[in-house]
Amino acid sequence: MKSPSYFSFIALLTGALAIVVPSAAAAQARQSPPPEKVRGGSRLERAASDVIAATQSYRAALEKVLAIHERDLARRNEMADLRQDLYERGVLSRREFEDGQRAQLEAQKNVEDTRRAMNDADRMLSEARTAESLARLAPLARGGYEETPGLVRYNGTASWSLAADLPRLQQFFLSRFGRPLPISALGQTALHDRMGFDHRNALDVAIHPDSPEGRALMEHLRLAGIPFIAAWGAIPGSTSGAHIHVGQPSPRFTVQR
């Protein structure tokens, strides 16, 4: 049985992102509009840097928690056959046997939940690094297109509407590739709330920009005049977090009032 301090440690780690990241991002957003330049970069750039630092610390903590949960799950899985044998021989009571099964399922859930949290952290890193990169670049003219290392952006001329235009985009992808558009974030999500990003009229597509699907989607968006940003991922050398953001090409921190 784990000590209360263990559960306090896990609760602290799982709650860290909800406390540290919004306070850094929202505090920066409340002080001044993003375009204003300050020492060390724009306020948007500094706020994105704060989010990146907090998220990296959070993800590193999650890696340690995952290792703990994986060891616990491995131990409980190894004991499953023995527990079954003892129960069938009458050594274990039904209650003890079912308690063991519940603990095994809980250990599996802990592993899955932690991995999901790590995936969310990777997505957050990708979004924040994209915002940080965009803050360093000059705004694109209407219809402008630019490719820089790890980033493609297009300021489309069409009037994009998530509600009106998404069905056509989904139909294009389905007819072209025979599978649904892999949407990872549709409109405003809890993740974007946490970061202070306005994502209400945008979606993220979980495909790598360098893949045939990614290139075809970007070409389609550009021909249709739909604005987008393509990012290569959160972790150097990894495809984790790579996605195409469809919508206005300047994610911004919302002002919290």
Side-chain angles (χ1 to χ4, degrees):
M1 184 171 165
K2 299 180 180 66
S3 67
S5 61
Y6 171 84
F7 290 108
S8 298
F9 172 67
I10 298 301
L12 176 63
L13 290 178
T14 54
L17 192 56
I19 297 172
V20 176
V21 173
S23 62
Q28 292 287 347
R30 283 195 296 268
Q31 291 172 10
S32 192
E36 181 183 345
K37 290 288 182 178
V38 296
R39 186 174 61 183
S42 71
R43 294 193 187 281
L44 174 58
E45 185 178 347
R46 292 175 62 190
S49 296
D50 287 342
V51 172
I52 290 168
T55 307
Q56 286 174 327
S57 296
Y58 173 68
R59 194 186 189 285
L62 284 174
E63 289 179 358
K64 297 177 182 178
V65 173
L66 179 61
I68 293 171
H69 287 323
E70 286 179 334
R71 287 195 296 270
D72 183 45
L73 177 61
R75 180 176 62 84
R76 294 186 183 280
N77 287 342
E78 288 173 0
M79 293 175 60
D81 290 340
L82 175 61
R83 192 168 56 245
Q84 180 73 39
D85 179 61
L86 292 175
Y87 173 65
E88 290 175 354
R89 293 192 309 175
V91 178
L92 278 183
S93 68
R94 183 178 184 86
R95 179 177 178 179
E96 289 172 321
F97 176 70
E98 291 177 347
D99 285 347
Q101 286 184 313
R102 279 192 292 270
Q104 185 179 7
L105 290 173
E106 183 180 355
Q108 179 66 50
K109 184 178 184 299
N110 287 338
V111 168
E112 292 170 357
D113 287 348
T114 306
R115 286 175 178 165
R116 276 193 292 270
M118 291 174 68
N119 288 336
D120 282 346
D122 287 344
R123 283 179 51 210
M124 183 172 283
L125 277 172
S126 182
E127 294 264 4
R129 282 184 171 149
T130 299
E132 185 182 46
S133 297
L134 289 170
R136 297 178 182 139
L137 300 173
L140 278 179
R142 192 165 175 79
Y145 177 86
E146 182 180 61
E147 292 194 26
T148 55
L151 191 71
V152 171
R153 56 180 182 147
Y154 171 59
N155 188 9
T157 57
S159 179
W160 159 260
S161 166
L162 184 60
D165 298 325
L166 177 58
R168 287 192 290 272
L169 189 60
Q170 290 174 309
Q171 182 56 43
F172 156 76
F173 195 87
L174 181 62
S175 62
R176 180 73 175 269
F177 297 105
R179 70 183 183 98
L181 185 70
I183 298 173
S184 58
L186 180 60
Q188 194 73 9
T189 68
L191 179 66
H192 294 99
D193 285 340
R194 202 177 287 170
M195 297 178 70
F197 276 179
D198 184 353
H199 203 258
R200 289 170 294 181
N201 195 38
L203 73 146
D204 293 339
V205 182
I207 54 177
H208 198 286
D210 278 337
S211 68
E213 292 175 335
R215 286 294 171 184
L217 178 60
M218 288 191 291
E219 180 183 12
H220 173 78
L221 293 171
R222 192 173 177 187
L223 288 174
I226 298 172
F228 70 86
I229 305 165
W232 264 248
I235 302 173
S238 169
T239 60
S240 180
H243 70 287
I244 296 175
H245 166 99
V246 182
Q248 290 305 314
S250 298
R252 62 190 182 277
F253 285 97
T254 57
V255 177
Q256 311 273 332
R257 297 190 185 278

